[in-house]
Amino acid sequence: KTSEEDLFNIILKGIREEAKGATEKLLLYKEPLDIVNEYIVPALDLMGDKYEKGGIFLPQLIRSAETVKNSFEIIKKRLRGEAEFQISKGKIILATVKGDIHDIGKNIVKVLLENYNYEIIDLGKDVPKEKIIEEAIKNDVKLIGLSALMTTTVKNMEDTIKTLKKENSNFVVMVGGAVLNEDYANMIKADFYAKDARDAVTIARKVLG
Ligand code: B1M
C-alpha cells in the first residue's frame, strides 16, 4: 500500500499527495536534516541518474521535485519551530546563479541558516551577477552564498565571484551544489565550499560569528 511506503519511494514515484504524511511519520523518530540526507537527497540523486540515462523523462523528474517540495514544507515547519528567535547574527545573501533554476538545495540551506538566527536575503534562482552585487552593497552584506547545480552554470558562478571580488575584496563567498567539490570551489576562487546545509552554518559561524 502506498501510504505505508517510505518517503524515498514516494519521491521516486512522484506521489505528491503522500509526501506530507510520510514526512510527518518520519519526524516522529528522525531529525529533520537526517530526513533530507537519508531520503530526499538520495531519491533525487537516483532520479537525476535515471533522467541522465534516459530511463525517465522530464515530467517525471518534475513530479519528484514537486513531491520533495511538499515534504520540505513539513520539514521547514519543524525546523522553524526549533528556532530560538534571538537577535540576528548577521545578513547573508543566497542565490542560485544565472541560467540555473535548481533551488531545492538553496532553500534547505536558507531554512537552516535562519534557524541559527542569520538574516537571509534570498534572491531566488537564475540570478544575474549584477543583481547579487547590487543587493550586497545595498544591504551591506559580507557573506554571499551561491548555488549551482549544472556544469554549464558553474561558469556563471565563477564569473559572479570574479565580479564580486573586483567590486569589494572584503566580500566573502561560499558556494555549494551537487556539481561542485572542494577543488572546483578553490579553482573558481570561492572562499568556502559547503557540501551541505550543516557546512553552510559552520562557515557562517566562522565568517559572521
Ligand atoms: Co535538473 N539537472 N534539470 N531539475 N536536476 C540536474 C542538476 C542533473 C545533474 C540531472 C542529471 O542529468 N543527472 C542535470 C545537470 C547535468 C549537468 O550539469 N551536466 C540536470 C538538468 C540537465 C536539468 C535541465 C536542463 C533538464 C531539461 O530541462 N532538459 C533543467 C534545468 C533548467 C535550468 O536550470 N536552466 C532541469 C530541471 C530540473 C527540475 C525543474 C525538474 C528539478 C529542479 C526543481 C527545483 O530545484 N526547484 C530538477 C532536479 C530536482 C534535479 C536533480 C535530480 C536533483 C537536484 C536536487 O534538488 N537535489 C539533479 C540531479 C542531482 O543533483 N543528483 C538535476 C537535492 C538537493 C537537496 O541537493 O541541490 O545538491 P543540492 O543541495 C545540497 C548541497 O549540494 C548543498 O546543500 C544542499 C543540502 O544538502 N548546497 C549548498 C546546494 N547549494 C548550496 C549553497 C550553499 C551551501 C550548500 O551556500 C550558498
Side-chain angles (χ1 to χ4, degrees):
K1 245 177 73 195
T2 48
S3 62
E4 276 159 9
E5 276 186 71
D6 71 22
L7 187 61
F8 182 84
N9 287 312
I10 288 172
I11 296 170
L12 289 194
K13 291 182 181 163
I15 316 171
R16 288 167 286 214
E17 60 281 9
E18 290 193 5
K20 288 190 176 176
T23 308
E24 275 158 359
K25 273 189 204 157
L26 279 173
L27 277 170
L28 294 174
Y29 59 95
K30 274 205 172 284
E31 290 299 317
L33 276 189
D34 290 341
I35 299 178
V36 170
N37 292 330
E38 291 171 25
Y39 293 81
I40 294 182
V41 173
L44 284 176
D45 278 349
L46 184 57
M47 287 306 278
D49 280 351
K50 285 187 181 195
Y51 172 73
E52 202 173 4
K53 296 191 177 105
I56 59 160
F57 296 101
L58 194 56
Q60 286 160 285
L61 190 59
I62 291 172
R63 275 182 54 157
S64 288
E66 286 169 355
T67 307
V68 166
K69 225 171 146 191
N70 287 348
S71 163
F72 195 61
E73 288 284 306
I74 303 296
I75 292 176
K76 195 158 75 179
K77 265 192 213 148
R78 168 65 72 88
L79 281 171
R80 292 231 164 103
E82 287 171 0
E84 288 167 30
F85 293 109
Q86 295 169 348
I87 298 161
S88 164
K89 288 192 207 145
K91 293 178 196 168
I92 303 172
I93 281 184
L94 288 184
T96 301
V97 299
K98 188 171 161 50
D100 203 318
I101 60 152
H102 296 90
D103 64 358
I104 296 175
K106 170 188 71 60
N107 293 341
I108 293 173
V109 170
K110 174 184 174 180
V111 173
L112 200 67
L113 286 170
E114 282 176 342
N115 198 25
Y116 281 84
N117 297 309
Y118 293 100
E119 186 184 334
I120 304 304
I121 300 169
D122 182 5
L123 302 181
K125 56 197 175 186
D126 189 18
V127 187
K129 60 181 180 184
E130 294 80 7
K131 173 82 181 158
I132 297 170
I133 289 156
E134 185 193 318
E135 293 291 333
I137 296 170
K138 195 172 87 188
N139 295 292
D140 192 21
V141 175
K142 183 175 181 191
L143 180 59
I144 294 132
L146 303 175
S147 186
L149 266 285
M150 299 195 290
T151 44
T152 45
T153 53
V154 174
K155 190 88 204 84
N156 295 338
M157 186 179 250
E158 183 176 16
D159 196 28
T160 305
I161 296 171
K162 204 189 263 172
T163 316
L164 272 165
K165 294 284 184 183
K166 213 162 121 192
E167 176 67 37
N168 182 346
S169 56
N170 291 328
F171 282 143
V172 178
V173 183
M174 78 167 150
V175 296
V179 73
L180 295 169
N181 57 35
E182 190 89 53
D183 287 345
Y184 214 107
N186 285 335
M187 212 172 80
I188 61 173
K189 305 230 163 28
D191 298 291
F192 294 98
Y193 165 67
K195 73 170 184 322
D196 56 25
R198 281 193 180 106
D199 258 10
V201 172
T202 308
I203 293 163
R205 280 181 161 158
K206 259 188 218 158
V207 178
L208 301 174

